[in-house]
């Protein structure tokens, strides 16, 4: 059988997701009508051999309780459990810490998913490659622009065999534009011994790291960086990317499955807007019945929660999600945006490329707008007159925008009242 782990992180992470993560842990933030994490489970459910999924993180136990309860009834063939790390153990540390639970029932394979990515999760395709290649590890890869690549793990592979030859996490220079999507499939016989040898390497290493005898500069620099880490964390934290993957490229049957489908990272709050768009488009292509019914003022794909109220003269879409109990008044225009629970968009307001926080009010004839995010650079900032600005406008929870006020490319912290026009600002 196959099991799966979703790495959900913890409350010290997701800081770039502020102000939205102030009110809800990032994995539970709704895009396209469902929590980010739900989309991972929906993909795992499509793999017939998976019955058990562990969410590993260091959030409080209570955080995922309701979500897991709902998911259990929605995904009846998955048993979902939350395993809590007592502190951040790194992307491989949690796997190792909970190895007994994971290995119970002797699964042969283990999927590991970063929760903060938005993608089509071609897990069955990865599984097929895994079997065909008799692999010990398969990583999901995608091509990005050369400028963007160094923000991710970079993979050098054999074009013909798809074998991973080198792996370097966030390299300083350009190595490859094939990057790590944060989705892996490991043989359980390979991953746990690999983590164990990484731990052993660490303990055996002389404490004066600067003299670490390595011919491989890249390896060395990642170890040196480690030395700067907090003493208490040092022994426990193990990172899949830095401590395991490059080693696997040298010693294991490690392959890359390159996806041509959509893939995006969800780091900044603004990145929820492209993620929302991509998941809505996927739902639209799959003929999902959860999308809004067709109408003269609906440009698909649009999701409207059944408890929301949208005036029929409001024009919505494409790529709009309207949350529970939100209201949208007559003549409003909303496009490429997320309107969260209990928010109110008054008549003739215009909301473009924005996120409207829980309980926020957007006045009549106002404009709340961001700018389209460039697809190729995988970032949510744009350069305007030579300065970097936020491309997506975000209103935190319970903000108010006055009638006829224009808010452009701003991040607005919770509980703010905007009475005058603002542009390119963080409103605190
Ligand atoms: N349980 C647990 N414990 N989860 C963690 C921890 C930890 O200590 N640290 C990070 N995570 C989770 C995060 O919540 C996220 O889902 C995932 O692990 C990776 O997060 P980061 O460590 O912040 O890495 P990154 O997102 O900057 O880069 C990773 O993902 C990229 C793709 O999105 C790397 O794997 C890159 O190589 C990759 O390109
Ligand atoms: P359509 O022919 O309706 O598609 O209009 P369009 O192509 O000009 O633009 P779209 O419908 O995509 O709507 C976005 C534009 O609507 C914005 O750029 C605004 O200029 C305009 N708009 C601004 N305020 C309002 C408003 O209060 N109501 C409506 N309906 N539109 C507004």
């Amino acid at each position: 059988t196959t099991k799966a782990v979703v790495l959900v992180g913890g409350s010290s992470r997701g800081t770039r997701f502020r102000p939205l993560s102030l009110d809800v842990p990032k994995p539970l933030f709704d895009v396209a009508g469902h929590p980010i994490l739900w989309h991972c489970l929906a993909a795992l459910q499509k793999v017939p051999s998976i019955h058990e999924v562990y969410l590993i993180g260091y959030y409080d136990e209570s955080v995922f309780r309701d979500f897991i309860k709902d998911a259990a009834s929605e995904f009846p063939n998955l048993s979902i459990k939350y395993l809590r790390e007592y502190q951040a153990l790194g992307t491989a540390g949690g796997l190792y810490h909970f190895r007994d639970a994971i290995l119970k029932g002797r699964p042969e394979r283990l999927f590991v998913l970063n929760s903060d990515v938005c993608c089509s999760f071609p897990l069955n395709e990865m599984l097929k490659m895994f079997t065909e290649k008799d692999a010990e590890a398969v990583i999901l890869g995608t091509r990005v622009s050369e400028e963007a690549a160094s923000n991710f793990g970079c993979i050098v592979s054999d074009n013909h065999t798809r074998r991973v030859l080198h792996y370097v996490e966030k390299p300083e220079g350009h190595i490859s534009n094939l990057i790590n999507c944060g989705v892996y499939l490991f043989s359980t016989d390979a991953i746990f011994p690999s983590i164990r040898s990484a731990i052993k390497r660490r303990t055996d290493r002389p404490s004066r790291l600067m003299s670490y005898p390595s011919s491989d500069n890249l390896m060395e620099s990642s170890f040196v960086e480690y030395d700067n880490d907090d003493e208490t964390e040092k022994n426990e934290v193990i990172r899949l990317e830095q401590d395991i993957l490059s080693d696997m490229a040298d010693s294991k049957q490690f392959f890359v499955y390159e996806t041509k489908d959509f893939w995006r990272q969800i780091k900044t709050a603004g990145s929820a807007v492209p993620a929302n768009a991509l998941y809505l488009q996927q739902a639209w292509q799959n003929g999902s019945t959860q999308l809004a019914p067709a109408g003269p003022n609906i440009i698909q794909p649009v999701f409207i929660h059944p408890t929301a109220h949208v005036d029929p003269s409001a024009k919505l879409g494409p790529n709009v999600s309207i949350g529970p109990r939100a209201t949208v008044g007559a003549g409003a225009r909303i496009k490429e945006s997320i309107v969260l629970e209990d928010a109110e968009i008054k008549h003739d307001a215009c909301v473009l490329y924005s996120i409207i926080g829980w309980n926020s009010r957007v006045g009549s004839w106002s404009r709340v707008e961001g700018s389209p995010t460039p697809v190729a650079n995988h970032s949510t900032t744009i350069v305007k007159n030579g300065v970097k600005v936020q491309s997506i406008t975000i209103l935190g929870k319970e903000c108010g925008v006055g009638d006829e006020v224009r808010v452009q490319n701003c991040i607005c912290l919770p509980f703010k009242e905007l009475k005058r026009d603002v542009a390119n600002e963080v409103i605190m």
Side-chain angles (χ1 to χ4, degrees):
T1 63
T2 311
K3 288 196 186 185
V5 163
V6 186
L7 296 168
V8 293
S11 47
S12 72
R13 308 193 78 85
T15 50
R16 279 186 282 167
F17 205 69
R18 284 178 194 157
L20 303 173
S21 55
L22 294 172
D23 296 292
V24 67
K26 184 169 80 166
L28 297 183
F29 184 82
D30 274 353
V31 298
H34 295 286
I36 290 169
L37 189 51
W38 181 96
H39 297 278
C40 302
L41 297 180
L44 290 168
Q45 185 208 217
K46 295 202 181 98
V47 182
S49 59
I50 299 180
H51 303 292
E52 278 176 85
V53 180
Y54 303 101
L55 312 178
I56 300 186
Y58 50 100
Y59 285 102
D60 201 78
E61 301 280 352
S62 61
V63 165
F64 295 104
R65 202 171 289 149
D66 292 346
F67 172 80
I68 289 176
K69 209 183 282 166
D70 295 346
S73 57
E74 202 162 350
F75 306 111
N77 51 344
L78 298 181
S79 137
I80 305 157
K81 287 198 189 78
Y82 178 58
L83 301 176
R84 186 193 178 174
E85 297 165 19
Y86 56 95
Q87 64 173 55
L89 297 177
T91 44
L95 288 182
Y96 196 68
H97 187 75
F98 293 111
R99 62 190 179 280
D100 289 347
I102 296 169
L103 290 173
K104 201 166 164 223
R106 297 174 169 271
E108 298 146 80
R109 290 164 303 259
L110 184 67
F111 273 106
V112 177
L113 274 59
N114 287 1
S115 60
D116 62 354
V117 298
C118 149
C119 88
S120 66
F121 295 108
L123 306 179
N124 282 309
E125 290 85 342
M126 289 174 71
L127 204 49
K128 185 158 172 269
M129 176 184 237
F130 191 90
T131 314
E132 280 172 6
K133 301 278 188 187
D134 195 20
E136 296 178 287
V138 171
I139 184 171
L140 185 68
T142 191
R143 301 266 170 198
V144 301
S145 70
E146 201 166 304
E147 306 82 81
S150 59
N151 298 317
F152 302 101
C154 292
I155 302 161
V156 178
S157 66
D158 182 297
N159 261 337
H160 185 65
T161 63
R162 311 309 297 156
R163 201 178 162 138
V164 176
L165 304 173
H166 298 290
Y167 178 89
V168 187
E169 182 64 17
K170 303 186 181 106
E172 277 175 28
H174 181 70
I175 288 181
S176 163
N177 69 342
L178 181 61
I179 62 134
N180 172 5
C181 291
V183 180
Y184 320 88
L185 177 57
F186 296 113
S187 119
T188 47
D189 286 342
I191 184 65
F192 292 100
S194 290
I195 301 177
R196 192 171 303 119
S197 27
I199 296 171
K200 190 160 186 312
R201 272 201 303 277
R202 172 113 32 95
T203 6
D204 291 352
R205 204 170 72 223
S207 55
R208 284 289 131 246
L209 275 178
M210 299 307 167
S211 60
Y212 184 70
S214 168
S215 55
D216 185 346
N217 278 328
L218 292 158
M219 285 280 283
E220 188 162 37
S221 64
S222 75
F223 277 108
V224 170
E225 186 194 320
Y226 237 109
D227 205 32
N228 299 331
D229 275 354
D230 178 27
E231 196 68 30
T232 54
E233 275 187 25
K234 204 164 100 182
N235 296 323
E236 304 281 356
V237 173
I238 311 158
R239 299 159 307 171
L240 207 46
E241 298 86 348
Q242 291 90 336
D243 306 334
I244 315 286
L245 295 182
S246 23
D247 207 49
M248 277 201 159
D250 295 334
S251 59
K252 297 274 191 273
Q253 292 282 345
F254 185 12
F255 295 89
V256 54
Y257 180 84
E258 185 179 334
T259 179
K260 304 284 179 199
D261 276 350
F262 67 92
W263 180 85
R264 223 45 92 74
Q265 203 179 26
I266 310 177
K267 283 292 177 197
T268 61
S271 58
V273 164
N276 179 59
L278 292 166
Y279 278 138
L280 285 174
Q281 285 157 26
Q282 174 179 258
W284 178 242
Q285 272 159 19
N286 295 342
S288 164
T289 52
Q290 295 192 5
L291 294 177
N297 287 323
I298 297 291
I299 306 166
Q300 297 284 10
V302 171
F303 169 84
I304 301 175
H305 193 272
T307 58
H309 183 264
V310 176
D311 189 281
S313 67
K315 183 171 171 180
L316 268 55
N319 305 324
V320 168
S321 292
I322 308 288
R325 297 175 305 277
T327 58
V328 179
R333 175 71 179 106
I334 308 178
K335 121 176 177 187
E336 303 284 350
S337 295
I338 301 173
V339 176
L340 295 166
E341 266 177 79
D342 301 298
E344 181 184 8
I345 313 294
K346 296 238 172 80
H347 68 87
D348 301 293
C350 182
V351 175
L352 311 171
Y353 300 96
S354 297
I355 299 173
I356 309 299
W358 307 270
N359 248 311
S360 287
R361 290 145 286 114
V362 172
S364 57
W365 297 105
S366 63
R367 281 182 78 94
V368 177
E369 61 182 311
S371 318
T373 40
V375 175
N377 71 3
H378 284 264
S379 132
T380 50
T381 51
I382 47 169
V383 178
K384 241 184 172 179
N385 305 324
V387 224
K388 265 194 179 178
V389 296
Q390 171 70 11
S391 63
I392 301 295
T393 286
I394 296 153
L395 304 185
K397 86 167 188 194
E398 295 191 38
C399 286
V401 175
D403 294 347
E404 295 172 43
V405 167
R406 184 176 193 200
V407 183
Q408 223 187 341
N409 298 108
C410 286
I411 296 184
C412 184
L413 269 64
F415 311 111
K416 297 292 156 196
E417 293 294 328
L418 303 178
K419 298 191 172 110
R420 279 175 290 110
D421 293 0
V422 269
N424 309 325
E425 274 185 51
V426 177
I427 299 137
M428 334 234 271

